[in-house]
Amino acid sequence: MKTPENLFSRLQRLMPDGVKPKFTRGEDLLAWNQEQGRLRSEAVFRENRAMKMQRIMGRSGIRELHMNCSFDNYRVESEGQRKALAMARQYAAEFEHSIASFVFSGRPGTGKNHLAAAIGNDLILRGKSVLIVTVADLMSNMKGTFSGGSTLTEERLIHDLSSVDLLVIDEIGMQTESRYEKVIINQIVDRRSSSKRPTGMLSNLNHEGMNALLGDRVMDRMRLGNSMWVRFDWDSYRDRVRGDEY
Ligand SMILES: Nc1ncnc2c1ncn2[C@@H]1O[C@H](COP(=O)(O)OP(=O)(O)OP(=O)(O)O)[C@@H](O)[C@H]1O
């Protein structure tokens, strides 16, 4: 009969002299193999979940302009940028087992998407599922679930958006304020925080503006854990972007 023990002694017989095996017992090798299989299937499950969300949203989670954004290619020319970069790096480094959300708020073109994409790219490389979506895309997909031909329900879409490891909602405050938008963002943030999943928000609004738009309930949930609020209050970088720098 094939047991881990006799498979292991066969392997040992084949092993050249001087090679020190990582395991000395058959059960340890078997346990390691099972653990690797479990990790792989969890990674495939996460990848599938992220790809499904990206398909539904009609584009990849990170836009083309931001695909190569990293912490290393964010240029620091002021103390504010240095702090923002350090906080974004810290957020990514401490993401594992953290429930902390983040808000990047401030002027256009200052690098909110750049640093959110850098966090996203870093997490994707570590096997996490990440989706960056604008409020406009979110709402049009939500409204799409009402059409007769859609197989996706509003409930299912909210469930799926609540399941990715990191969801970043961009352009908060760009739309004309609508009650439906507020209800949907509330539901997503509520579900994500109660299942210990953090949410990122990018906005040109300040603290008061975001509180007024989304309400205390949502903003209070955004403060769970060691959450971050980073203010981007320097000049836009957009006039320096050529499109081929990274
Ligand atoms: N400090 C920086 N170093 C390098 N590139 C930067 C920096 N700041 C911004 N950029 C680049 O400038 C462009 C605009 O930045 P980004 O999209 O991150 O702005 P934003 O703050 O999200 O703006 P908006 O509020 O208008 O959406 C991007 O291509 C980004 O990579």
Side-chain angles (χ1 to χ4, degrees), residues 134-198:
T134 62
V135 175
D137 280 349
L138 192 64
M139 290 307 135
S140 81
N141 281 281
M142 282 296 163
K143 287 174 187 153
T145 63
F146 303 153
S147 84
S150 173
T151 50
L152 190 68
T153 62
E154 185 192 40
E155 164 56 30
R156 186 75 223 167
L157 185 53
I158 293 180
H159 169 86
D160 289 345
L161 285 161
S162 308
S163 313
V164 285
D165 295 322
L166 176 66
L167 174 72
V168 180
I169 310 177
D170 183 20
E171 295 184 0
I172 292 191
M174 286 275 290
Q175 311 259 102
T176 46
E177 207 172 312
S178 94
R179 195 177 135 62
Y180 180 59
E181 190 178 307
K182 195 168 154 177
V183 168
I184 293 298
I185 294 178
N186 193 334
Q187 283 193 34
I188 294 170
V189 173
D190 189 27
R191 289 236 196 144
R192 292 187 60 80
S193 63
S194 49
S195 55
K196 296 191 178 168
R197 290 198 175 89

Short mmCIF file of all heavy atoms in Angstrom, two decimals, residues 134-198:
data_model
loop_
_atom_site.label_atom_id
_atom_site.label_comp_id
_atom_site.label_asym_id
_atom_site.label_seq_id
_atom_site.Cartn_x
_atom_site.Cartn_y
_atom_site.Cartn_z
N THR A 134 -15.38 54.02 -9.89
CA THR A 134 -15.93 55.36 -9.66
C THR A 134 -17.39 55.23 -9.22
O THR A 134 -18.05 54.23 -9.54
CB THR A 134 -15.88 56.24 -10.93
OG1 THR A 134 -16.70 55.61 -11.91
CG2 THR A 134 -14.47 56.43 -11.46
N VAL A 135 -17.87 56.26 -8.55
CA VAL A 135 -19.28 56.23 -8.13
C VAL A 135 -20.17 56.12 -9.37
O VAL A 135 -21.16 55.38 -9.37
CB VAL A 135 -19.63 57.52 -7.33
CG1 VAL A 135 -21.10 57.56 -7.00
CG2 VAL A 135 -18.80 57.60 -6.07
N ALA A 136 -19.77 56.81 -10.46
CA ALA A 136 -20.59 56.76 -11.68
C ALA A 136 -20.69 55.34 -12.22
O ALA A 136 -21.78 54.87 -12.57
CB ALA A 136 -20.00 57.69 -12.73
N ASP A 137 -19.56 54.61 -12.28
CA ASP A 137 -19.58 53.22 -12.75
C ASP A 137 -20.41 52.34 -11.82
O ASP A 137 -21.17 51.47 -12.27
CB ASP A 137 -18.16 52.63 -12.80
CG ASP A 137 -17.41 53.07 -14.04
OD1 ASP A 137 -18.05 53.62 -14.95
OD2 ASP A 137 -16.18 52.86 -14.09
N LEU A 138 -20.23 52.60 -10.54
CA LEU A 138 -20.96 51.81 -9.53
C LEU A 138 -22.47 51.97 -9.74
O LEU A 138 -23.21 50.99 -9.82
CB LEU A 138 -20.56 52.35 -8.15
CG LEU A 138 -20.92 51.57 -6.93
CD1 LEU A 138 -20.22 50.23 -6.96
CD2 LEU A 138 -20.48 52.34 -5.69
N MET A 139 -22.88 53.23 -9.90
CA MET A 139 -24.31 53.49 -10.03
C MET A 139 -24.87 52.97 -11.34
O MET A 139 -25.97 52.43 -11.39
CB MET A 139 -24.60 55.01 -9.92
CG MET A 139 -24.37 55.53 -8.55
SD MET A 139 -25.31 54.57 -7.32
CE MET A 139 -24.08 54.35 -6.09
N SER A 140 -24.08 53.11 -12.42
CA SER A 140 -24.65 52.64 -13.68
C SER A 140 -24.76 51.11 -13.68
O SER A 140 -25.71 50.56 -14.22
CB SER A 140 -23.92 53.20 -14.90
OG SER A 140 -22.77 52.47 -15.13
N ASN A 141 -23.83 50.43 -13.00
CA ASN A 141 -23.97 48.97 -12.88
C ASN A 141 -25.13 48.59 -11.98
O ASN A 141 -25.81 47.60 -12.23
CB ASN A 141 -22.67 48.35 -12.38
CG ASN A 141 -21.67 48.22 -13.50
OD1 ASN A 141 -21.75 47.31 -14.30
ND2 ASN A 141 -20.75 49.17 -13.60
N MET A 142 -25.35 49.38 -10.93
CA MET A 142 -26.49 49.11 -10.04
C MET A 142 -27.79 49.26 -10.83
O MET A 142 -28.67 48.41 -10.78
CB MET A 142 -26.51 50.11 -8.87
CG MET A 142 -25.53 49.81 -7.80
SD MET A 142 -25.93 48.25 -7.03
CE MET A 142 -24.41 47.92 -6.22
N LYS A 143 -27.87 50.37 -11.58
CA LYS A 143 -29.11 50.63 -12.32
C LYS A 143 -29.32 49.58 -13.40
O LYS A 143 -30.43 49.20 -13.71
CB LYS A 143 -29.11 52.05 -12.88
CG LYS A 143 -29.32 53.07 -11.76
CD LYS A 143 -29.18 54.50 -12.20
CE LYS A 143 -29.23 55.41 -10.97
NZ LYS A 143 -28.52 56.67 -11.15
N GLY A 144 -28.18 49.07 -13.94
CA GLY A 144 -28.25 48.02 -14.97
C GLY A 144 -28.93 46.76 -14.47
O GLY A 144 -29.53 46.01 -15.24
N THR A 145 -28.86 46.52 -13.15
CA THR A 145 -29.48 45.30 -12.62
C THR A 145 -31.01 45.38 -12.67
O THR A 145 -31.68 44.37 -12.53
CB THR A 145 -29.05 45.02 -11.15
OG1 THR A 145 -29.51 46.08 -10.32
CG2 THR A 145 -27.54 44.87 -11.01
N PHE A 146 -31.55 46.61 -12.86
CA PHE A 146 -33.01 46.74 -12.92
C PHE A 146 -33.57 46.37 -14.29
O PHE A 146 -34.75 46.14 -14.44
CB PHE A 146 -33.48 48.20 -12.64
CG PHE A 146 -33.01 48.74 -11.32
CD1 PHE A 146 -32.84 50.10 -11.12
CD2 PHE A 146 -32.77 47.88 -10.25
CE1 PHE A 146 -32.42 50.61 -9.90
CE2 PHE A 146 -32.34 48.37 -9.03
CZ PHE A 146 -32.17 49.74 -8.85
N SER A 147 -32.69 46.34 -15.32
CA SER A 147 -33.21 46.11 -16.67
C SER A 147 -33.65 44.65 -16.79
O SER A 147 -33.05 43.75 -16.18
CB SER A 147 -32.16 46.44 -17.72
OG SER A 147 -31.32 45.34 -17.89
N GLY A 148 -34.70 44.44 -17.58
CA GLY A 148 -35.30 43.11 -17.72
C GLY A 148 -34.30 42.03 -18.10
O GLY A 148 -34.36 40.91 -17.60
N GLY A 149 -33.32 42.37 -18.96
CA GLY A 149 -32.39 41.36 -19.48
C GLY A 149 -31.29 40.96 -18.50
O GLY A 149 -30.58 39.98 -18.73
N SER A 150 -31.14 41.69 -17.40
CA SER A 150 -30.00 41.42 -16.51
C SER A 150 -30.21 40.16 -15.67
O SER A 150 -31.28 39.95 -15.10
CB SER A 150 -29.79 42.62 -15.59
OG SER A 150 -28.80 42.31 -14.65
N THR A 151 -29.14 39.34 -15.61
CA THR A 151 -29.23 38.13 -14.78
C THR A 151 -28.71 38.43 -13.38
O THR A 151 -28.84 37.62 -12.48
CB THR A 151 -28.38 36.99 -15.39
OG1 THR A 151 -27.09 37.52 -15.66
CG2 THR A 151 -29.01 36.43 -16.66
N LEU A 152 -28.10 39.61 -13.24
CA LEU A 152 -27.50 39.97 -11.96
C LEU A 152 -28.49 40.80 -11.15
O LEU A 152 -29.08 41.74 -11.67
CB LEU A 152 -26.25 40.82 -12.27
CG LEU A 152 -25.30 41.14 -11.14
CD1 LEU A 152 -24.59 39.88 -10.66
CD2 LEU A 152 -24.26 42.16 -11.61
N THR A 153 -28.68 40.46 -9.91
CA THR A 153 -29.60 41.26 -9.08
C THR A 153 -28.81 42.32 -8.32
O THR A 153 -27.59 42.19 -8.15
CB THR A 153 -30.34 40.37 -8.05
OG1 THR A 153 -29.34 39.81 -7.19
CG2 THR A 153 -31.15 39.29 -8.70
N GLU A 154 -29.52 43.34 -7.86
CA GLU A 154 -28.89 44.41 -7.09
C GLU A 154 -28.23 43.81 -5.84
O GLU A 154 -27.09 44.14 -5.49
CB GLU A 154 -29.96 45.42 -6.69
CG GLU A 154 -29.43 46.63 -5.98
CD GLU A 154 -30.54 47.47 -5.35
OE1 GLU A 154 -31.50 46.90 -4.80
OE2 GLU A 154 -30.45 48.71 -5.42
N GLU A 155 -28.95 42.88 -5.20
CA GLU A 155 -28.45 42.25 -3.97
C GLU A 155 -27.14 41.50 -4.24
O GLU A 155 -26.18 41.58 -3.49
CB GLU A 155 -29.55 41.31 -3.44
CG GLU A 155 -29.14 40.29 -2.41
CD GLU A 155 -28.48 40.89 -1.17
OE1 GLU A 155 -28.81 42.03 -0.83
OE2 GLU A 155 -27.60 40.22 -0.58
N ARG A 156 -27.11 40.77 -5.38
CA ARG A 156 -25.91 39.99 -5.72
C ARG A 156 -24.70 40.90 -5.96
O ARG A 156 -23.60 40.64 -5.54
CB ARG A 156 -26.25 39.16 -6.97
CG ARG A 156 -25.22 38.19 -7.42
CD ARG A 156 -25.19 36.97 -6.53
NE ARG A 156 -23.81 36.61 -6.24
CZ ARG A 156 -23.43 35.77 -5.31
NH1 ARG A 156 -24.30 35.20 -4.51
NH2 ARG A 156 -22.17 35.47 -5.15
N LEU A 157 -24.98 42.03 -6.68
CA LEU A 157 -23.89 42.96 -6.99
C LEU A 157 -23.34 43.58 -5.70
O LEU A 157 -22.11 43.66 -5.52
CB LEU A 157 -24.40 44.05 -7.95
CG LEU A 157 -23.36 45.03 -8.49
CD1 LEU A 157 -22.16 44.35 -9.10
CD2 LEU A 157 -23.99 45.97 -9.52
N ILE A 158 -24.22 43.95 -4.78
CA ILE A 158 -23.76 44.51 -3.51
C ILE A 158 -22.96 43.45 -2.75
O ILE A 158 -21.90 43.72 -2.19
CB ILE A 158 -24.95 45.01 -2.64
CG1 ILE A 158 -25.59 46.22 -3.33
CG2 ILE A 158 -24.50 45.38 -1.23
CD1 ILE A 158 -26.76 46.80 -2.61
N HIS A 159 -23.45 42.23 -2.80
CA HIS A 159 -22.74 41.14 -2.11
C HIS A 159 -21.33 40.98 -2.69
O HIS A 159 -20.35 40.88 -1.96
CB HIS A 159 -23.52 39.83 -2.25
CG HIS A 159 -22.75 38.64 -1.81
ND1 HIS A 159 -22.72 38.23 -0.51
CD2 HIS A 159 -21.93 37.81 -2.49
CE1 HIS A 159 -21.91 37.19 -0.40
NE2 HIS A 159 -21.41 36.90 -1.59
N ASP A 160 -21.24 40.97 -4.03
CA ASP A 160 -19.94 40.77 -4.68
C ASP A 160 -18.98 41.93 -4.38
O ASP A 160 -17.80 41.72 -4.12
CB ASP A 160 -20.10 40.58 -6.19
CG ASP A 160 -20.74 39.23 -6.51
OD1 ASP A 160 -20.79 38.37 -5.62
OD2 ASP A 160 -21.20 39.05 -7.65
N LEU A 161 -19.53 43.16 -4.42
CA LEU A 161 -18.67 44.33 -4.13
C LEU A 161 -18.20 44.30 -2.67
O LEU A 161 -17.15 44.84 -2.34
CB LEU A 161 -19.45 45.63 -4.36
CG LEU A 161 -19.67 46.00 -5.82
CD1 LEU A 161 -20.80 47.00 -5.94
CD2 LEU A 161 -18.39 46.58 -6.41
N SER A 162 -18.97 43.65 -1.85
CA SER A 162 -18.61 43.59 -0.43
C SER A 162 -17.61 42.48 -0.15
O SER A 162 -17.12 42.36 0.96
CB SER A 162 -19.86 43.37 0.43
OG SER A 162 -20.83 44.32 0.08
N SER A 163 -17.32 41.65 -1.16
CA SER A 163 -16.46 40.49 -0.90
C SER A 163 -15.00 40.68 -1.34
O SER A 163 -14.17 39.88 -0.94
CB SER A 163 -16.99 39.26 -1.63
OG SER A 163 -18.35 39.12 -1.42
N VAL A 164 -14.70 41.70 -2.17
CA VAL A 164 -13.29 41.87 -2.56
C VAL A 164 -12.49 42.35 -1.33
O VAL A 164 -13.03 43.01 -0.45
CB VAL A 164 -13.10 42.86 -3.75
CG1 VAL A 164 -13.50 42.24 -5.05
CG2 VAL A 164 -13.80 44.17 -3.52
N ASP A 165 -11.20 42.00 -1.31
CA ASP A 165 -10.40 42.33 -0.12
C ASP A 165 -10.31 43.83 0.10
O ASP A 165 -10.38 44.30 1.21
CB ASP A 165 -8.98 41.73 -0.25
CG ASP A 165 -9.01 40.21 -0.27
OD1 ASP A 165 -9.82 39.64 0.47
OD2 ASP A 165 -8.22 39.60 -1.02
N LEU A 166 -10.11 44.58 -1.01
CA LEU A 166 -10.10 46.05 -0.88
C LEU A 166 -10.94 46.65 -2.00
O LEU A 166 -10.69 46.37 -3.17
CB LEU A 166 -8.67 46.62 -0.95
CG LEU A 166 -8.60 48.16 -0.90
CD1 LEU A 166 -9.07 48.71 0.44
CD2 LEU A 166 -7.18 48.66 -1.18
N LEU A 167 -11.92 47.44 -1.61
CA LEU A 167 -12.72 48.18 -2.60
C LEU A 167 -12.39 49.66 -2.42
O LEU A 167 -12.43 50.18 -1.31
CB LEU A 167 -14.21 47.95 -2.35
CG LEU A 167 -15.15 48.78 -3.23
CD1 LEU A 167 -15.14 48.26 -4.67
CD2 LEU A 167 -16.58 48.75 -2.70
N VAL A 168 -12.02 50.33 -3.54
CA VAL A 168 -11.76 51.77 -3.46
C VAL A 168 -12.83 52.47 -4.30
O VAL A 168 -13.01 52.15 -5.48
CB VAL A 168 -10.35 52.12 -4.00
CG1 VAL A 168 -10.11 53.63 -3.90
CG2 VAL A 168 -9.27 51.37 -3.22
N ILE A 169 -13.55 53.38 -3.67
CA ILE A 169 -14.60 54.12 -4.39
C ILE A 169 -14.04 55.50 -4.72
O ILE A 169 -13.66 56.27 -3.83
CB ILE A 169 -15.90 54.23 -3.56
CG1 ILE A 169 -16.31 52.84 -3.03
CG2 ILE A 169 -17.01 54.83 -4.39
CD1 ILE A 169 -17.54 52.86 -2.12
N ASP A 170 -14.00 55.79 -6.03
CA ASP A 170 -13.38 57.02 -6.52
C ASP A 170 -14.46 58.04 -6.91
O ASP A 170 -15.59 57.66 -7.20
CB ASP A 170 -12.52 56.64 -7.75
CG ASP A 170 -11.75 57.83 -8.32
OD1 ASP A 170 -11.56 58.82 -7.60
OD2 ASP A 170 -11.34 57.74 -9.50
N GLU A 171 -14.06 59.29 -6.94
CA GLU A 171 -14.92 60.40 -7.38
C GLU A 171 -16.17 60.56 -6.51
O GLU A 171 -17.27 60.79 -7.03
CB GLU A 171 -15.30 60.24 -8.86
CG GLU A 171 -14.08 60.36 -9.75
CD GLU A 171 -14.39 60.31 -11.25
OE1 GLU A 171 -15.57 60.17 -11.62
OE2 GLU A 171 -13.44 60.43 -12.02
N ILE A 172 -15.98 60.43 -5.21
CA ILE A 172 -17.11 60.67 -4.30
C ILE A 172 -17.37 62.17 -4.26
O ILE A 172 -16.45 62.95 -4.03
CB ILE A 172 -16.79 60.10 -2.90
CG1 ILE A 172 -16.76 58.59 -3.02
CG2 ILE A 172 -17.77 60.61 -1.85
CD1 ILE A 172 -16.72 57.83 -1.77
N GLY A 173 -18.63 62.55 -4.55
CA GLY A 173 -18.98 63.97 -4.53
C GLY A 173 -18.99 64.60 -5.91
O GLY A 173 -19.28 65.77 -6.05
N MET A 174 -18.68 63.80 -6.95
CA MET A 174 -18.67 64.35 -8.32
C MET A 174 -20.08 64.38 -8.91
O MET A 174 -20.39 65.18 -9.77
CB MET A 174 -17.82 63.46 -9.25
CG MET A 174 -16.35 63.60 -9.03
SD MET A 174 -15.70 64.97 -9.95
CE MET A 174 -15.87 64.35 -11.61
N GLN A 175 -20.89 63.43 -8.49
CA GLN A 175 -22.25 63.30 -9.04
C GLN A 175 -23.17 64.31 -8.36
O GLN A 175 -22.85 64.80 -7.28
CB GLN A 175 -22.82 61.92 -8.71
CG GLN A 175 -21.93 60.79 -9.02
CD GLN A 175 -22.36 60.15 -10.31
OE1 GLN A 175 -21.74 60.37 -11.34
NE2 GLN A 175 -23.42 59.37 -10.27
N THR A 176 -24.33 64.54 -8.98
CA THR A 176 -25.32 65.31 -8.24
C THR A 176 -25.82 64.38 -7.14
O THR A 176 -26.01 63.19 -7.36
CB THR A 176 -26.50 65.71 -9.15
OG1 THR A 176 -26.86 64.55 -9.87
CG2 THR A 176 -26.15 66.86 -10.06
N GLU A 177 -25.95 64.94 -5.98
CA GLU A 177 -26.31 64.14 -4.81
C GLU A 177 -27.62 63.38 -5.04
O GLU A 177 -28.60 63.97 -5.45
CB GLU A 177 -26.52 65.14 -3.67
CG GLU A 177 -26.27 64.57 -2.32
CD GLU A 177 -26.33 65.68 -1.30
OE1 GLU A 177 -25.69 66.72 -1.53
OE2 GLU A 177 -27.04 65.50 -0.31
N SER A 178 -27.61 62.07 -4.83
CA SER A 178 -28.88 61.36 -4.96
C SER A 178 -29.06 60.43 -3.77
O SER A 178 -28.10 59.90 -3.22
CB SER A 178 -28.92 60.55 -6.26
OG SER A 178 -28.51 59.23 -6.04
N ARG A 179 -30.32 60.24 -3.40
CA ARG A 179 -30.59 59.42 -2.22
C ARG A 179 -30.19 57.97 -2.48
O ARG A 179 -29.63 57.30 -1.63
CB ARG A 179 -32.09 59.52 -1.88
CG ARG A 179 -32.35 59.01 -0.51
CD ARG A 179 -33.75 59.11 0.00
NE ARG A 179 -34.13 57.86 0.66
CZ ARG A 179 -33.53 57.36 1.73
NH1 ARG A 179 -32.53 57.99 2.29
NH2 ARG A 179 -33.93 56.21 2.26
N TYR A 180 -30.44 57.53 -3.71
CA TYR A 180 -30.12 56.14 -4.07
C TYR A 180 -28.61 55.87 -3.91
O TYR A 180 -28.18 54.86 -3.35
CB TYR A 180 -30.58 55.86 -5.51
CG TYR A 180 -30.28 54.45 -5.96
CD1 TYR A 180 -30.81 53.36 -5.27
CD2 TYR A 180 -29.47 54.20 -7.06
CE1 TYR A 180 -30.54 52.05 -5.67
CE2 TYR A 180 -29.19 52.90 -7.47
CZ TYR A 180 -29.73 51.84 -6.77
OH TYR A 180 -29.46 50.57 -7.16
N GLU A 181 -27.81 56.84 -4.39
CA GLU A 181 -26.35 56.72 -4.31
C GLU A 181 -25.90 56.57 -2.84
O GLU A 181 -25.08 55.72 -2.51
CB GLU A 181 -25.78 58.01 -4.90
CG GLU A 181 -24.31 58.00 -5.14
CD GLU A 181 -23.91 59.34 -5.78
OE1 GLU A 181 -24.52 59.71 -6.81
OE2 GLU A 181 -23.04 60.01 -5.25
N LYS A 182 -26.50 57.39 -2.01
CA LYS A 182 -26.15 57.37 -0.59
C LYS A 182 -26.53 56.03 0.05
O LYS A 182 -25.75 55.44 0.80
CB LYS A 182 -26.93 58.52 0.09
CG LYS A 182 -26.43 58.88 1.43
CD LYS A 182 -27.05 60.18 1.88
CE LYS A 182 -27.10 60.25 3.38
NZ LYS A 182 -27.62 61.51 3.87
N VAL A 183 -27.71 55.53 -0.33
CA VAL A 183 -28.17 54.25 0.23
C VAL A 183 -27.24 53.11 -0.19
O VAL A 183 -26.84 52.27 0.62
CB VAL A 183 -29.64 53.96 -0.23
CG1 VAL A 183 -30.04 52.52 0.08
CG2 VAL A 183 -30.59 54.94 0.41
N ILE A 184 -26.84 53.12 -1.47
CA ILE A 184 -25.97 52.03 -1.98
C ILE A 184 -24.60 52.08 -1.30
O ILE A 184 -24.10 51.06 -0.83
CB ILE A 184 -25.82 52.14 -3.52
CG1 ILE A 184 -27.15 51.85 -4.20
CG2 ILE A 184 -24.73 51.22 -4.05
CD1 ILE A 184 -27.69 50.45 -3.97
N ILE A 185 -24.01 53.28 -1.23
CA ILE A 185 -22.68 53.38 -0.60
C ILE A 185 -22.78 52.97 0.87
O ILE A 185 -21.93 52.24 1.39
CB ILE A 185 -22.08 54.80 -0.78
CG1 ILE A 185 -21.82 55.03 -2.27
CG2 ILE A 185 -20.79 54.98 0.03
CD1 ILE A 185 -21.27 56.39 -2.64
N ASN A 186 -23.86 53.39 1.51
CA ASN A 186 -24.09 53.00 2.91
C ASN A 186 -24.13 51.47 3.05
O ASN A 186 -23.46 50.89 3.91
CB ASN A 186 -25.45 53.60 3.33
CG ASN A 186 -25.64 53.54 4.82
OD1 ASN A 186 -25.08 52.69 5.49
ND2 ASN A 186 -26.45 54.45 5.35
N GLN A 187 -24.89 50.82 2.16
CA GLN A 187 -25.02 49.36 2.26
C GLN A 187 -23.69 48.66 2.04
O GLN A 187 -23.35 47.71 2.73
CB GLN A 187 -26.02 48.86 1.22
CG GLN A 187 -27.44 49.10 1.61
CD GLN A 187 -28.39 48.31 0.73
OE1 GLN A 187 -28.08 47.21 0.30
NE2 GLN A 187 -29.53 48.88 0.43
N ILE A 188 -22.93 49.15 1.04
CA ILE A 188 -21.65 48.50 0.73
C ILE A 188 -20.67 48.67 1.90
O ILE A 188 -20.07 47.71 2.37
CB ILE A 188 -21.04 49.06 -0.59
CG1 ILE A 188 -21.94 48.69 -1.77
CG2 ILE A 188 -19.64 48.51 -0.81
CD1 ILE A 188 -21.56 49.37 -3.07
N VAL A 189 -20.56 49.91 2.39
CA VAL A 189 -19.59 50.16 3.48
C VAL A 189 -20.02 49.40 4.74
O VAL A 189 -19.19 48.82 5.45
CB VAL A 189 -19.45 51.69 3.75
CG1 VAL A 189 -18.60 51.96 4.98
CG2 VAL A 189 -18.85 52.39 2.54
N ASP A 190 -21.32 49.36 4.99
CA ASP A 190 -21.84 48.65 6.16
C ASP A 190 -21.49 47.16 6.07
O ASP A 190 -20.96 46.57 7.01
CB ASP A 190 -23.36 48.85 6.22
CG ASP A 190 -23.92 48.34 7.51
OD1 ASP A 190 -23.17 48.34 8.51
OD2 ASP A 190 -25.09 47.95 7.54
N ARG A 191 -21.79 46.55 4.92
CA ARG A 191 -21.49 45.11 4.77
C ARG A 191 -20.01 44.83 4.87
O ARG A 191 -19.57 43.87 5.47
CB ARG A 191 -21.92 44.63 3.38
CG ARG A 191 -23.37 44.58 3.28
CD ARG A 191 -23.85 43.22 2.89
NE ARG A 191 -25.20 43.42 2.45
CZ ARG A 191 -25.76 42.79 1.48
NH1 ARG A 191 -25.11 41.86 0.84
NH2 ARG A 191 -27.00 43.05 1.15
N ARG A 192 -19.23 45.71 4.22
CA ARG A 192 -17.78 45.47 4.22
C ARG A 192 -17.23 45.61 5.64
O ARG A 192 -16.46 44.79 6.09
CB ARG A 192 -17.06 46.45 3.29
CG ARG A 192 -17.38 46.21 1.81
CD ARG A 192 -16.53 47.08 0.91
NE ARG A 192 -15.11 46.82 1.11
CZ ARG A 192 -14.45 45.81 0.58
NH1 ARG A 192 -15.06 44.97 -0.21
NH2 ARG A 192 -13.17 45.65 0.83
N SER A 193 -17.67 46.63 6.37
CA SER A 193 -17.10 46.80 7.70
C SER A 193 -17.57 45.68 8.63
O SER A 193 -16.80 45.20 9.45
CB SER A 193 -17.41 48.18 8.28
OG SER A 193 -18.79 48.32 8.44
N SER A 194 -18.82 45.21 8.46
CA SER A 194 -19.22 44.14 9.38
C SER A 194 -18.57 42.81 9.03
O SER A 194 -18.51 41.92 9.87
CB SER A 194 -20.75 44.03 9.50
OG SER A 194 -21.32 44.01 8.26
N SER A 195 -18.05 42.68 7.80
CA SER A 195 -17.28 41.45 7.54
C SER A 195 -15.77 41.75 7.59
O SER A 195 -14.97 41.04 7.00
CB SER A 195 -17.70 40.81 6.21
OG SER A 195 -17.57 41.74 5.17
N LYS A 196 -15.42 42.83 8.29
CA LYS A 196 -14.02 43.21 8.55
C LYS A 196 -13.24 43.48 7.28
O LYS A 196 -12.06 43.16 7.20
CB LYS A 196 -13.31 42.14 9.38
CG LYS A 196 -13.89 41.96 10.76
CD LYS A 196 -12.96 41.09 11.55
CE LYS A 196 -13.42 40.87 12.96
NZ LYS A 196 -12.69 39.85 13.62
N ARG A 197 -13.92 44.04 6.26
CA ARG A 197 -13.20 44.37 5.02
C ARG A 197 -13.15 45.90 4.88
O ARG A 197 -14.18 46.56 4.97
CB ARG A 197 -13.91 43.76 3.82
CG ARG A 197 -13.78 42.27 3.79
CD ARG A 197 -14.07 41.71 2.41
NE ARG A 197 -13.83 40.29 2.41
CZ ARG A 197 -14.74 39.38 2.73
NH1 ARG A 197 -15.96 39.74 3.03
NH2 ARG A 197 -14.44 38.10 2.73
N PRO A 198 -11.97 46.42 4.64
CA PRO A 198 -11.84 47.88 4.55
C PRO A 198 -12.25 48.45 3.20
O PRO A 198 -12.30 47.74 2.19
CB PRO A 198 -10.35 48.09 4.79
CG PRO A 198 -9.70 46.84 4.35
CD PRO A 198 -10.68 45.73 4.51
#
